Amino acid sequence: MSGTTAMTRLRAAGTAGTGAGANRWVVLVVLCVSLLLVALDATVLHVAVPAVTADLAPSGVELLWIVDAYPLVCASLLILFGTLGDRVGRRKVLLLGYGLFGIASAIAAFAGSPEVLIGARALLGIGGAMVMPATLSILRDVFPDRRERAMAIGVWSAVAAVGAAVGPVLGGFMVEHFWWGSVFLINIPLLAVILPLGRLLLPESKGSADGPWDVLGALTAAAGVLGVVFGVKRLGADEAPFGPATLAPLCIGAALLVLFVRRQRRRAQPLIDVTMFARPAFSTSVGCIVLAMLALVGLELIAVQYLQLVLGLSPLATGLRLLPLTFAAMAAGATGSFTLRRIGPRRMVAWGFTLTAAAVLLLILMGLHDRPALLTTGFVMLGFGLQTTLFGAYESMLSESPADQAGGAAAIGETSYQLGAGMGIALLGSVMNASYAPRLASVKGVPAPAGKAAANSLGEAYQVAHRLGGPAGAALRRAARDSYVHGLHVTLLVSAGLLLLGALAALKLPRVMDCPAPASESASGPEPVAAGEPVRPHKPPEKRPPRPRTPADVHEPVDVARLREGARGAVPASRGSVERAGSGRTAH
C-alpha cells in the first residue's frame, strides 16, 4: 500500500509542472530525448552503409530500401499517428512508439539478411511516426504560455539538429570500434531510461474526441504521402523525371492527397482542419519549413561528399568538421525565444533565411584544397541561420493551430520536414549531377565508356580512374574532382536563390509575437495534472439563461424594509425581490 502511495506521489510531482513550476521542464527533457532517438536513426546508418554492404551483400535495390525504408515509412504515417494521438491520447501513442523502437532496434542490430534489415528499418519508421508528432503536440499542451512555449520549442528544435549532426559522428565511431549493428544498439540505453520516465512523468493529453476516427481518411493520407515522398526520392536517385517508376507514384500520391483534403472538408469531425491552411501564418510557416529543410539536407549531403571525396577526410573526421554547424544550431535554439520576442516572427524567419543564403554564398569559395577557417565560418553561419528559420517557422505554425488539433498540426509540420528533406536531395542532387557529368564526357586519353561510367558519381569516377591507372587514370581523377567542385558551386548558387525566395515568403508572417495569457491559467494559477489524465483546454463558465418570471413573481409583495436591510448586508434579500428592485435586468 505504501509503495502504491509513493508511486502516486511521484507521478503527481513529476507532472505538476504541466502548468506551473519547474517540473514541466523535466517533461521537456523526456520529450527531447524521445526526439533525439528519431533524429539519430535518420542519419546514423549513413556511415555504416559500406560495412553493411560488405557483410550482407545486398543488391542495389535492397541497399536503397535499407537506407530509405525508415524515412519513407515515417513520413507516410505521421498524419495517421498524429491524428490518432489527438483521439486516443498522445502519451499512449508515444509510449507505444518507444516499445516499437526498442524491438526494431534489436532486430536491426542482429539482422542476418537484407530482407530482415529492411523490415526492421520499416518498423523503426512506424515507431518514429508515433514519437515525432506526439513530442511536439504534448509540448503544445504542457506549455500553454506562448513565451515559455517558444523557449521549449527552441530547445526541442536544437535537439533535432544535434541528433541529425551527431548521428554520422557517433555512427562512424561505433563502426570503427565495433560492428555495423552497434549503430542501432545506441537506442537501447536511451529507451531503458525514457520509457519508465515517460510512464511516470508525461501527462496524457487529447484533442477533440467528437465523432469516430476517420480510418479511411488516415489511410488515404498515408498512401498519398508515401507516393509523393517515394516519387521525390526516385528523382533524387537520378531516375528519369517522366519515367513510369517516378511519374506513377508522384501522380497517384498527389491524387490521393487531393481526395484526402476534399474528404476532410466535407466531414463534420475531420482528422485535420484543412482550413488552417487558409491562415497565412500557418501556410507560410509550413512552406518555410519545406524550403529550410530543402536547403539543409541537400547541402549536408553534398558537404559530406566534398569533405570525404575531395578533401579525403575519414567518416569520423567528416562528422567532427560538421560539429560547428551543430553548436551554432544549439545556440540559435537557446536564444530563439529572446530573438522572437524582440524582433517578431516575420523578421526572425526572413533574417534566418538571409543569413543562411550569405553562408551558402561564402561556401562558394571552397575549392580543391582544405580551408578549415572558411568551412568553420560557413558552417556556423549555416547552422545558426537555418535553426533560426526553423525555430520561427515551427513556433508560428504551432501557435496558429488550435490546441485540440495539436497532433494534426505537428504531423503536418513533420511531414513538411520530411518532404523538404526528400526534395532537397532530389533537386540539389539533380543540379549537382547536371553540372558535374558533362565535363567528364571527353577527358583526354580516357575511353568513352569509362568517361560515361565516371559521370555517375565522384566515387565511381575514382574507381574507374583506379582501374585505368597511368596518365589516363590520373587525368580522369583530376577532371572528376574539378567537375565536382564546379557542380558544388552551381548547386550552392541555386540553393542561395531558394533561400532568398524563402526570405520573401516569410514576409507573410506576423510582424510581432502575440502573447495572450494562456486560457488554462486562472488567478490562482494552473492546477496540477496527474500523469495519465488528459490535459483539456480551459472552457469559460457558461452563462445561465435568465430565469423566466412566473405569476408568483408578479404578485409577490415587495418588502421594502427587507430590501434596505439586505443592501446594508444585515439580511440577504430574496432573489425575486432583488431582480425586481434592480434595473430590470435578470441576475446571473
Side-chain angles (χ1 to χ4, degrees):
M1 184 69 179
S2 60
T4 305
T5 304
M7 183 67 70
T8 303
R9 289 176 179 174
L10 178 60
R11 291 162 68 97
T15 54
T18 54
N23 286 314
R24 58 181 145 193
W25 300 102
V26 178
V27 173
L28 176 63
V29 171
V30 177
L31 296 178
C32 286
V33 176
S34 308
L35 182 65
L36 186 63
L37 283 172
V38 182
L40 278 174
D41 264 62
T43 58
V44 74
L45 184 63
H46 291 174
V47 296
V49 167
V52 172
T53 304
D55 188 19
L56 301 182
S59 65
V61 174
E62 288 173 337
L63 184 61
L64 183 65
W65 279 105
I66 287 172
V67 175
D68 286 344
Y70 176 81
L72 276 175
V73 173
C74 185
S76 62
L77 297 179
L78 285 168
I79 293 177
L80 188 152
F81 287 120
T83 56
L84 180 63
D86 286 340
R87 293 303 180 95
V88 304
R90 295 151 187 160
R91 175 175 170 269
K92 291 186 181 70
V93 173
L94 181 62
L95 294 178
L96 182 58
Y98 288 163
L100 283 178
F101 227 85
I103 294 171
S105 297
I107 296 173
F110 300 101
S113 67
E115 294 80 10
V116 174
L117 185 54
I118 291 171
R121 290 279 289 170
L123 192 60
L124 279 169
I126 297 175
M130 292 179 172
V131 171
M132 290 177 72
T135 59
L136 198 54
S137 53
I138 292 175
L139 186 150
R140 171 72 168 80
D141 276 323
V142 171
F143 293 92
D145 181 76
R146 184 172 183 182
R147 286 162 294 191
E148 287 193 345
R149 185 167 67 243
M151 188 179 300
I153 291 176
V155 176
W156 179 90
S157 59
V159 168
V162 168
V166 170
V169 180
L170 192 55
F173 176 82
M174 299 298 286
V175 171
E176 287 184 8
H177 292 82
F178 303 99
W179 88 107
W180 63 264
S182 62
V183 302
F184 298 107
L185 294 182
I186 299 169
N187 300 330
I188 304 299
L190 291 175
L191 285 168
V193 174
I194 64 170
L195 185 55
L197 285 180
R199 290 195 64 218
L200 290 174
L201 300 179
L202 294 180
E204 184 59 283
S205 64
K206 295 181 181 179
S208 174
D210 298 333
W213 186 53
D214 185 10
V215 179
L216 180 59
L219 294 176
T220 302
V225 173
L226 178 63
V228 171
V229 175
F230 180 73
V232 168
K233 282 186 172 292
R234 296 280 295 183
L235 287 174
D238 300 330
E239 297 290 338
F242 299 106
T246 301
L247 201 58
L250 278 174
C251 293
I252 294 173
L256 288 174
L257 289 178
V258 170
L259 289 176
F260 170 74
V261 171
R262 295 184 63 181
R263 179 181 177 85
Q264 298 309 298
R265 296 185 68 175
R266 291 197 303 264
R267 290 182 63 86
Q269 291 88 27
L271 280 175
I272 293 177
D273 183 9
V274 294
T275 60
M276 287 190 295
F277 284 96
R279 304 176 184 179
F282 185 89
S283 56
T284 301
S285 298
V286 171
C288 288
I289 292 172
V290 172
L291 281 172
M293 286 310 301
L294 188 152
L296 175 62
V297 174
L299 290 176
E300 274 193 344
L301 180 64
I302 294 171
V304 166
Q305 293 178 345
Y306 170 78
L307 293 173
Q308 289 185 349
L309 298 178
V310 176
L311 300 185
L313 301 181
S314 67
L316 182 58
T318 298
L320 292 175
R321 280 295 187 93
L322 293 174
L323 282 182
L325 188 151
T326 303
F327 293 143
M330 292 172 62
T335 59
S337 177
F338 173 80
T339 306
L340 187 63
R341 291 196 305 268
R342 289 294 300 270
I343 67 176
R346 179 186 299 178
R347 282 188 287 180
M348 182 175 185
V349 176
W351 281 113
F353 271 123
T354 305
L355 178 61
T356 308
V360 168
L361 293 175
L362 176 65
L363 289 175
I364 291 179
L365 298 177
M366 291 188 302
L368 296 174
H369 303 288
D370 192 5
R371 302 180 66 181
L374 172 69
L375 292 177
T376 300
T377 303
F379 287 159
V380 167
M381 293 172 60
L382 188 68
F384 196 92
L386 277 174
Q387 188 62 28
T388 299
T389 299
L390 287 172
F391 176 94
Y394 264 111
E395 200 282 332
S396 297
M397 181 203 71
L398 205 59
S399 296
E400 283 293 317
S401 62
D404 60 353
Q405 289 275 337
I412 291 173
E414 296 300 334
T415 302
S416 62
Y417 184 101
Q418 296 288 343
L419 185 61
M423 290 175 62
I425 294 174
L427 178 60
L428 297 186
S430 299
V431 173
M432 181 72 193
N433 291 335
S435 305
Y436 164 78
R439 292 183 165 221
L440 298 179
S442 58
V443 179
K444 186 177 181 180
V446 177
K452 184 176 181 181
N456 292 329
S457 68
L458 183 57
E460 191 166 348
Y462 285 172
Q463 294 176 2
V464 173
H466 179 72
R467 289 196 299 267
L468 286 175
L476 179 60
R477 184 181 181 88
R478 185 168 52 253
R481 292 180 73 224
D482 291 340
S483 298
Y484 189 88
V485 172
H486 169 75
L488 176 63
H489 292 165
V490 174
T491 304
L492 290 173
L493 283 173
V494 173
S495 180
L498 292 172
L499 290 166
L500 292 176
L501 182 64
L504 293 176
L507 298 180
K508 294 185 178 180
L509 291 173
R511 183 183 298 273
V512 297
M513 178 184 179
D514 186 18
C515 297
S520 59
E521 291 187 4
S522 60
S524 60
E527 299 178 359
V529 182
E533 294 188 6
V535 178
R536 301 289 188 183
H538 174 73
K539 293 183 179 180
E542 297 181 359
K543 292 185 178 181
R544 292 178 295 178
R547 184 175 68 86
R549 297 174 63 86
T550 64
D553 292 330
V554 178
H555 299 292
E556 182 181 358
V558 179
D559 190 343
V560 178
R562 189 177 180 184
L563 286 175
R564 290 173 179 171
E565 291 176 355
R568 292 193 300 268
V571 179
S574 66
R575 175 173 176 166
S577 300
V578 172
E579 289 177 0
R580 290 188 303 276
S583 61
R585 289 180 292 183
T586 307
H588 295 291

